[in-house]
mmCIF file of all heavy atoms in Angstrom:
data_model
loop_
_atom_site.group_PDB
_atom_site.id
_atom_site.type_symbol
_atom_site.label_atom_id
_atom_site.label_comp_id
_atom_site.label_asym_id
_atom_site.label_seq_id
_atom_site.Cartn_x
_atom_site.Cartn_y
_atom_site.Cartn_z
ATOM 1 N N ASP A 49 -5.615 25.765 5.893
ATOM 2 C CA ASP A 49 -4.498 24.888 6.273
ATOM 3 C C ASP A 49 -3.279 25.321 5.471
ATOM 4 O O ASP A 49 -3.356 25.411 4.239
ATOM 5 C CB ASP A 49 -4.871 23.427 5.951
ATOM 6 C CG ASP A 49 -3.919 22.433 6.592
ATOM 7 O OD1 ASP A 49 -2.694 22.555 6.368
ATOM 8 O OD2 ASP A 49 -4.398 21.552 7.329
ATOM 9 N N GLU A 50 -2.178 25.577 6.176
ATOM 10 C CA GLU A 50 -1.021 26.126 5.442
ATOM 11 C C GLU A 50 -0.307 25.102 4.566
ATOM 12 O O GLU A 50 0.592 25.456 3.796
ATOM 13 C CB GLU A 50 -0.042 26.820 6.399
ATOM 14 C CG GLU A 50 0.509 25.919 7.477
ATOM 15 C CD GLU A 50 1.311 26.718 8.511
ATOM 16 O OE1 GLU A 50 1.091 27.944 8.634
ATOM 17 O OE2 GLU A 50 2.143 26.085 9.177
ATOM 18 N N ARG A 51 -0.744 23.840 4.613
ATOM 19 C CA ARG A 51 -0.179 22.851 3.681
ATOM 20 C C ARG A 51 -0.735 23.035 2.268
ATOM 21 O O ARG A 51 -0.212 22.463 1.318
ATOM 22 C CB ARG A 51 -0.515 21.430 4.164
ATOM 23 C CG ARG A 51 0.257 21.014 5.413
ATOM 24 C CD ARG A 51 -0.214 19.657 5.894
ATOM 25 N NE ARG A 51 -1.563 19.692 6.425
ATOM 26 C CZ ARG A 51 -2.364 18.634 6.579
ATOM 27 N NH1 ARG A 51 -1.944 17.433 6.235
ATOM 28 N NH2 ARG A 51 -3.584 18.757 7.089
ATOM 29 N N VAL A 52 -1.810 23.832 2.141
ATOM 30 C CA VAL A 52 -2.418 24.035 0.812
ATOM 31 C C VAL A 52 -1.837 25.294 0.169
ATOM 32 O O VAL A 52 -1.919 26.384 0.732
ATOM 33 C CB VAL A 52 -3.952 24.186 0.919
ATOM 34 C CG1 VAL A 52 -4.564 24.395 -0.471
ATOM 35 C CG2 VAL A 52 -4.562 22.970 1.599
ATOM 36 N N LEU A 53 -1.227 25.142 -1.009
ATOM 37 C CA LEU A 53 -0.692 26.280 -1.755
ATOM 38 C C LEU A 53 -1.527 26.448 -3.019
ATOM 39 O O LEU A 53 -1.802 25.463 -3.720
ATOM 40 C CB LEU A 53 0.768 26.030 -2.136
ATOM 41 C CG LEU A 53 1.731 25.725 -0.972
ATOM 42 C CD1 LEU A 53 3.131 25.484 -1.478
ATOM 43 C CD2 LEU A 53 1.720 26.878 0.038
ATOM 44 N N LEU A 54 -1.933 27.670 -3.296
ATOM 45 C CA LEU A 54 -2.832 27.906 -4.425
ATOM 46 C C LEU A 54 -2.048 28.348 -5.668
ATOM 47 O O LEU A 54 -1.158 29.184 -5.583
ATOM 48 C CB LEU A 54 -3.843 29.004 -4.067
ATOM 49 C CG LEU A 54 -4.615 28.809 -2.751
ATOM 50 C CD1 LEU A 54 -5.627 29.932 -2.564
ATOM 51 C CD2 LEU A 54 -5.325 27.451 -2.712
ATOM 52 N N LEU A 55 -2.416 27.785 -6.811
ATOM 53 C CA LEU A 55 -1.755 28.163 -8.073
ATOM 54 C C LEU A 55 -2.803 28.299 -9.169
ATOM 55 O O LEU A 55 -3.737 27.491 -9.242
ATOM 56 C CB LEU A 55 -0.763 27.076 -8.492
ATOM 57 C CG LEU A 55 0.532 26.933 -7.688
ATOM 58 C CD1 LEU A 55 1.278 25.689 -8.143
ATOM 59 C CD2 LEU A 55 1.400 28.173 -7.845
ATOM 60 N N GLU A 56 -2.586 29.307 -10.028
ATOM 61 C CA GLU A 56 -3.507 29.489 -11.157
ATOM 62 C C GLU A 56 -3.130 28.510 -12.267
ATOM 63 O O GLU A 56 -1.957 28.395 -12.619
ATOM 64 C CB GLU A 56 -3.373 30.929 -11.662
ATOM 65 C CG GLU A 56 -4.413 31.293 -12.685
ATOM 66 C CD GLU A 56 -4.308 32.766 -13.043
ATOM 67 O OE1 GLU A 56 -4.431 33.613 -12.139
ATOM 68 O OE2 GLU A 56 -4.077 33.040 -14.224
ATOM 69 N N LEU A 57 -4.130 27.819 -12.801
ATOM 70 C CA LEU A 57 -3.828 26.854 -13.874
ATOM 71 C C LEU A 57 -5.063 26.503 -14.698
ATOM 72 O O LEU A 57 -6.036 25.953 -14.205
ATOM 73 C CB LEU A 57 -3.242 25.561 -13.263
ATOM 74 C CG LEU A 57 -2.945 24.426 -14.245
ATOM 75 C CD1 LEU A 57 -1.956 24.839 -15.315
ATOM 76 C CD2 LEU A 57 -2.412 23.205 -13.496
ATOM 77 N N ASP A 58 -4.957 26.840 -15.997
ATOM 78 C CA ASP A 58 -5.934 26.368 -16.980
ATOM 79 C C ASP A 58 -5.228 25.257 -17.749
ATOM 80 O O ASP A 58 -4.216 25.513 -18.421
ATOM 81 C CB ASP A 58 -6.317 27.529 -17.913
ATOM 82 C CG ASP A 58 -7.327 27.111 -18.964
ATOM 83 O OD1 ASP A 58 -7.353 25.925 -19.359
ATOM 84 O OD2 ASP A 58 -8.095 27.984 -19.409
ATOM 85 N N ILE A 59 -5.740 24.046 -17.660
ATOM 86 C CA ILE A 59 -4.999 22.903 -18.225
ATOM 87 C C ILE A 59 -4.964 22.909 -19.751
ATOM 88 O O ILE A 59 -4.210 22.155 -20.355
ATOM 89 C CB ILE A 59 -5.539 21.541 -17.703
ATOM 90 C CG1 ILE A 59 -7.003 21.321 -18.111
ATOM 91 C CG2 ILE A 59 -5.350 21.421 -16.196
ATOM 92 C CD1 ILE A 59 -7.483 19.879 -17.890
ATOM 93 N N THR A 60 -5.799 23.761 -20.382
ATOM 94 C CA THR A 60 -5.747 23.830 -21.848
ATOM 95 C C THR A 60 -4.660 24.795 -22.329
ATOM 96 O O THR A 60 -4.388 24.871 -23.517
ATOM 97 C CB THR A 60 -7.105 24.275 -22.450
ATOM 98 O OG1 THR A 60 -7.395 25.595 -21.976
ATOM 99 C CG2 THR A 60 -8.216 23.334 -22.068
ATOM 100 N N ASP A 61 -4.068 25.544 -21.402
ATOM 101 C CA ASP A 61 -3.017 26.510 -21.747
ATOM 102 C C ASP A 61 -1.667 25.843 -21.452
ATOM 103 O O ASP A 61 -1.191 25.848 -20.325
ATOM 104 C CB ASP A 61 -3.231 27.775 -20.887
ATOM 105 C CG ASP A 61 -2.161 28.825 -21.132
ATOM 106 O OD1 ASP A 61 -1.119 28.500 -21.739
ATOM 107 O OD2 ASP A 61 -2.375 29.962 -20.679
ATOM 108 N N ASN A 62 -1.072 25.270 -22.500
ATOM 109 C CA ASN A 62 0.118 24.441 -22.256
ATOM 110 C C ASN A 62 1.289 25.263 -21.718
ATOM 111 O O ASN A 62 2.084 24.749 -20.935
ATOM 112 C CB ASN A 62 0.525 23.681 -23.525
ATOM 113 C CG ASN A 62 1.415 22.496 -23.193
ATOM 114 O OD1 ASN A 62 1.185 21.811 -22.185
ATOM 115 N ND2 ASN A 62 2.439 22.264 -23.972
ATOM 116 N N ALA A 63 1.387 26.543 -22.113
ATOM 117 C CA ALA A 63 2.476 27.386 -21.590
ATOM 118 C C ALA A 63 2.312 27.526 -20.076
ATOM 119 O O ALA A 63 3.286 27.454 -19.313
ATOM 120 C CB ALA A 63 2.447 28.751 -22.270
ATOM 121 N N GLN A 64 1.075 27.704 -19.641
ATOM 122 C CA GLN A 64 0.814 27.827 -18.197
ATOM 123 C C GLN A 64 1.068 26.494 -17.480
ATOM 124 O O GLN A 64 1.617 26.475 -16.378
ATOM 125 C CB GLN A 64 -0.631 28.284 -17.977
ATOM 126 C CG GLN A 64 -0.856 28.864 -16.600
ATOM 127 C CD GLN A 64 -2.282 29.329 -16.399
ATOM 128 O OE1 GLN A 64 -3.217 28.745 -16.935
ATOM 129 N NE2 GLN A 64 -2.443 30.387 -15.633
ATOM 130 N N VAL A 65 0.706 25.397 -18.115
ATOM 131 C CA VAL A 65 0.967 24.068 -17.535
ATOM 132 C C VAL A 65 2.468 23.903 -17.294
ATOM 133 O O VAL A 65 2.904 23.487 -16.207
ATOM 134 C CB VAL A 65 0.435 22.945 -18.474
ATOM 135 C CG1 VAL A 65 0.950 21.572 -18.035
ATOM 136 C CG2 VAL A 65 -1.089 22.955 -18.518
ATOM 137 N N LEU A 66 3.272 24.285 -18.306
ATOM 138 C CA LEU A 66 4.734 24.120 -18.178
ATOM 139 C C LEU A 66 5.286 25.050 -17.100
ATOM 140 O O LEU A 66 6.200 24.686 -16.359
ATOM 141 C CB LEU A 66 5.409 24.387 -19.530
ATOM 142 C CG LEU A 66 5.046 23.364 -20.627
ATOM 143 C CD1 LEU A 66 5.607 23.787 -21.984
ATOM 144 C CD2 LEU A 66 5.549 21.962 -20.274
ATOM 145 N N LYS A 67 4.703 26.252 -16.991
ATOM 146 C CA LYS A 67 5.151 27.206 -15.972
ATOM 147 C C LYS A 67 4.849 26.666 -14.563
ATOM 148 O O LYS A 67 5.680 26.742 -13.654
ATOM 149 C CB LYS A 67 4.411 28.540 -16.172
ATOM 150 C CG LYS A 67 5.300 29.751 -15.964
ATOM 151 C CD LYS A 67 4.712 30.997 -16.568
ATOM 152 C CE LYS A 67 3.820 31.731 -15.575
ATOM 153 N NZ LYS A 67 3.101 32.848 -16.165
ATOM 154 N N VAL A 68 3.677 26.093 -14.408
ATOM 155 C CA VAL A 68 3.305 25.516 -13.097
ATOM 156 C C VAL A 68 4.222 24.325 -12.778
ATOM 157 O O VAL A 68 4.693 24.174 -11.649
ATOM 158 C CB VAL A 68 1.808 25.113 -13.082
ATOM 159 C CG1 VAL A 68 1.489 24.218 -11.896
ATOM 160 C CG2 VAL A 68 0.933 26.362 -13.048
ATOM 161 N N ALA A 69 4.515 23.511 -13.783
ATOM 162 C CA ALA A 69 5.398 22.350 -13.567
ATOM 163 C C ALA A 69 6.783 22.817 -13.100
ATOM 164 O O ALA A 69 7.405 22.172 -12.255
ATOM 165 C CB ALA A 69 5.494 21.521 -14.841
ATOM 166 N N GLU A 70 7.256 23.946 -13.647
ATOM 167 C CA GLU A 70 8.558 24.518 -13.234
ATOM 168 C C GLU A 70 8.575 24.834 -11.738
ATOM 169 O O GLU A 70 9.587 24.712 -11.080
ATOM 170 C CB GLU A 70 8.799 25.837 -13.989
ATOM 171 C CG GLU A 70 9.593 25.732 -15.274
ATOM 172 C CD GLU A 70 10.952 25.086 -15.073
ATOM 173 O OE1 GLU A 70 11.726 25.568 -14.228
ATOM 174 O OE2 GLU A 70 11.226 24.065 -15.738
ATOM 175 N N LYS A 71 7.384 25.281 -11.238
ATOM 176 C CA LYS A 71 7.301 25.730 -9.833
ATOM 177 C C LYS A 71 6.970 24.612 -8.858
ATOM 178 O O LYS A 71 6.899 24.838 -7.656
ATOM 179 C CB LYS A 71 6.160 26.768 -9.707
ATOM 180 C CG LYS A 71 6.439 28.093 -10.336
ATOM 181 C CD LYS A 71 5.321 29.044 -9.895
ATOM 182 C CE LYS A 71 5.008 30.045 -10.970
ATOM 183 N NZ LYS A 71 3.659 30.545 -10.947
ATOM 184 N N THR A 72 6.673 23.411 -9.378
ATOM 185 C CA THR A 72 6.166 22.352 -8.485
ATOM 186 C C THR A 72 6.947 21.051 -8.700
ATOM 187 O O THR A 72 6.351 19.994 -8.921
ATOM 188 C CB THR A 72 4.659 22.114 -8.738
ATOM 189 O OG1 THR A 72 4.477 21.750 -10.119
ATOM 190 C CG2 THR A 72 3.820 23.339 -8.449
ATOM 191 N N LYS A 73 8.254 21.181 -8.651
ATOM 192 C CA LYS A 73 9.104 20.027 -8.996
ATOM 193 C C LYS A 73 9.154 18.953 -7.917
ATOM 194 O O LYS A 73 9.843 17.949 -8.068
ATOM 195 C CB LYS A 73 10.505 20.514 -9.323
ATOM 196 C CG LYS A 73 10.524 21.314 -10.623
ATOM 197 C CD LYS A 73 11.893 21.370 -11.219
ATOM 198 C CE LYS A 73 11.756 21.777 -12.667
ATOM 199 N NZ LYS A 73 12.924 22.289 -13.253
ATOM 200 N N ASP A 74 8.437 19.198 -6.809
ATOM 201 C CA ASP A 74 8.422 18.183 -5.756
ATOM 202 C C ASP A 74 7.147 17.325 -5.780
ATOM 203 O O ASP A 74 6.919 16.516 -4.882
ATOM 204 C CB ASP A 74 8.593 18.841 -4.368
ATOM 205 C CG ASP A 74 7.604 19.977 -4.119
ATOM 206 O OD1 ASP A 74 6.874 20.357 -5.068
ATOM 207 O OD2 ASP A 74 7.557 20.484 -2.991
ATOM 208 N N VAL A 75 6.331 17.472 -6.826
ATOM 209 C CA VAL A 75 5.059 16.707 -6.869
ATOM 210 C C VAL A 75 5.326 15.205 -6.967
ATOM 211 O O VAL A 75 6.151 14.749 -7.753
ATOM 212 C CB VAL A 75 4.184 17.173 -8.066
ATOM 213 C CG1 VAL A 75 2.991 16.238 -8.274
ATOM 214 C CG2 VAL A 75 3.688 18.590 -7.849
ATOM 215 N N GLU A 76 4.608 14.461 -6.131
ATOM 216 C CA GLU A 76 4.715 12.983 -6.146
ATOM 217 C C GLU A 76 3.413 12.332 -6.602
ATOM 218 O O GLU A 76 3.409 11.188 -7.045
ATOM 219 C CB GLU A 76 5.044 12.487 -4.724
ATOM 220 C CG GLU A 76 6.373 12.995 -4.211
ATOM 221 C CD GLU A 76 6.524 12.776 -2.715
ATOM 222 O OE1 GLU A 76 5.847 13.471 -1.920
ATOM 223 O OE2 GLU A 76 7.320 11.902 -2.335
ATOM 224 N N VAL A 77 2.310 13.050 -6.433
ATOM 225 C CA VAL A 77 1.002 12.522 -6.845
ATOM 226 C C VAL A 77 0.281 13.615 -7.634
ATOM 227 O O VAL A 77 0.024 14.703 -7.106
ATOM 228 C CB VAL A 77 0.142 12.121 -5.615
ATOM 229 C CG1 VAL A 77 -1.219 11.601 -6.053
ATOM 230 C CG2 VAL A 77 0.865 11.076 -4.769
ATOM 231 N N LEU A 78 0.005 13.318 -8.906
ATOM 232 C CA LEU A 78 -0.695 14.282 -9.770
ATOM 233 C C LEU A 78 -2.144 13.832 -9.905
ATOM 234 O O LEU A 78 -2.401 12.730 -10.409
ATOM 235 C CB LEU A 78 -0.024 14.304 -11.146
ATOM 236 C CG LEU A 78 -0.775 15.066 -12.240
ATOM 237 C CD1 LEU A 78 -0.835 16.562 -11.925
ATOM 238 C CD2 LEU A 78 -0.114 14.833 -13.604
ATOM 239 N N ILE A 79 -3.081 14.650 -9.448
ATOM 240 C CA ILE A 79 -4.499 14.292 -9.595
ATOM 241 C C ILE A 79 -5.122 15.197 -10.659
ATOM 242 O O ILE A 79 -5.337 16.395 -10.447
ATOM 243 C CB ILE A 79 -5.269 14.390 -8.263
ATOM 244 C CG1 ILE A 79 -4.599 13.506 -7.191
ATOM 245 C CG2 ILE A 79 -6.725 13.982 -8.465
ATOM 246 C CD1 ILE A 79 -5.350 13.386 -5.872
ATOM 247 N N ASN A 80 -5.379 14.611 -11.829
ATOM 248 C CA ASN A 80 -5.988 15.345 -12.944
ATOM 249 C C ASN A 80 -7.504 15.260 -12.807
ATOM 250 O O ASN A 80 -8.139 14.338 -13.320
ATOM 251 C CB ASN A 80 -5.528 14.730 -14.272
ATOM 252 C CG ASN A 80 -4.087 15.042 -14.561
ATOM 253 O OD1 ASN A 80 -3.665 16.201 -14.465
ATOM 254 N ND2 ASN A 80 -3.311 14.029 -14.901
ATOM 255 N N ASN A 81 -8.037 16.235 -12.078
ATOM 256 C CA ASN A 81 -9.475 16.240 -11.797
ATOM 257 C C ASN A 81 -10.246 17.170 -12.738
ATOM 258 O O ASN A 81 -11.400 16.909 -13.054
ATOM 259 C CB ASN A 81 -9.685 16.678 -10.338
ATOM 260 C CG ASN A 81 -11.116 17.084 -10.071
ATOM 261 O OD1 ASN A 81 -11.999 16.245 -9.946
ATOM 262 N ND2 ASN A 81 -11.377 18.399 -10.027
#
Side-chain angles (χ1 to χ4, degrees):
D49 193 305
E50 59 188 22
R51 289 175 291 161
V52 180
L53 304 179
L54 308 183
L55 288 172
E56 188 175 301
L57 177 59
D58 180 331
I59 62 167
T60 62
D61 178 346
N62 199 39
Q64 199 179 33
V65 168
L66 295 173
K67 220 162 90 187
V68 166
E70 266 304 305
K71 289 190 213 153
T72 58
K73 292 201 162 160
D74 52 353
V75 170
E76 298 166 288
V77 179
L78 170 66
I79 304 187
N80 288 311
N81 164 76

